[in-house]
């Protein structure tokens, strides 16, 4: 298992699965965690430029800091006082994935702090691990 940003069948919001399918069709593989950077820039910085009518950073920064919107396929966008993406319920979380029956499945944050995304599955202890640690 590992932490990932995207997995087929799990959606953070209404844009996630269409984004994944379009990406896979174009590139023939699952998107990496940085794959929606273009959308983040377009829908965060681009939208802020449109709304403020300026490219002056001193005017854009406070506007972006107040903004909170679904901007990308991987998260609801909001930034903290250090200009980092907010992590936690309702915002960016990532997905912990596990191979189950030959398919990549998302199992966390299923139920963590009230966060559940459509398509999540319960974690499964691998059969080899059950056998090795059986007592």
């Amino acid at each position: 298992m590992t932490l990932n940003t995207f997995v087929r069948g799990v959606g953070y919001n209404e844009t996630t699965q269409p984004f994944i399918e379009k990406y896979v069709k174009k590139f023939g593989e699952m998107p990496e965690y940085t794959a929606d950077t273009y959308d983040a820039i377009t829908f965060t910085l681009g939208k802020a430029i449109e709304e403020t009518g300026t490219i002056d950073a001193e005017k854009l920064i406070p506007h972006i800091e107040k903004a909170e919107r679904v901007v990308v396929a991987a998260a609801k966008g909001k930034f903290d006082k250090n200009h980092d993406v907010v992590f936690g319920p309702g915002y960016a979380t990532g997905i912990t994935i596990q191979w189950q029956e030959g398919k990549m499945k998302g199992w966390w944050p299923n139920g963590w702090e009230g966060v559940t995304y459509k398509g999540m599955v319960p974690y499964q202890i691998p059969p080899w691990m059950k056998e090795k640690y059986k007592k």
Side-chain angles (χ1 to χ4, degrees):
M1 90 178 79
T2 188
L3 183 65
N4 207 332
T5 303
F6 298 106
V7 63
R8 277 186 158 155
V10 176
Y12 299 98
N13 58 54
E14 67 281 353
T15 68
T16 308
Q17 286 307 302
F19 173 80
I20 290 172
E21 295 311 318
K22 186 176 176 182
Y23 190 97
V24 170
K25 185 176 180 181
K26 184 172 183 174
F27 299 107
E29 59 187 39
M30 284 294 294
E32 294 290 329
Y33 72 98
T34 58
D36 65 350
T37 300
Y38 173 81
D39 283 350
I41 293 167
T42 302
F43 296 117
T44 300
L45 182 58
K47 191 77 170 163
I49 291 169
E50 287 176 6
E51 291 169 354
T52 61
T54 184
I55 58 170
D56 180 342
E58 297 305 315
K59 292 179 182 170
L60 289 170
I61 290 170
H63 185 79
I64 291 171
E65 287 176 335
K66 289 187 279 183
E68 184 173 321
R69 53 181 83 121
V70 172
V71 294
V72 294
K76 182 177 185 182
K78 182 178 179 180
F79 297 92
D80 66 16
K81 62 182 171 116
N82 297 318
H83 306 148
D84 291 327
V85 173
V86 172
F87 179 89
Y91 301 100
T93 60
I95 297 175
T96 301
I97 61 165
Q98 178 186 39
W99 287 96
Q100 295 182 3
E101 300 175 5
K103 294 187 179 180
M104 192 186 311
K105 301 288 185 172
W107 67 271
W108 183 92
N110 198 12
W112 171 72
E113 298 287 325
V115 177
T116 299
Y117 301 123
K118 183 179 177 184
M120 300 295 280
V121 300
Y123 171 74
Q124 292 181 7
I125 297 174
W128 66 266
M129 190 179 286
K130 287 180 185 178
E131 189 59 37
K132 180 171 176 128
Y133 295 100
K134 189 187 282 184
K135 292 191 180 195

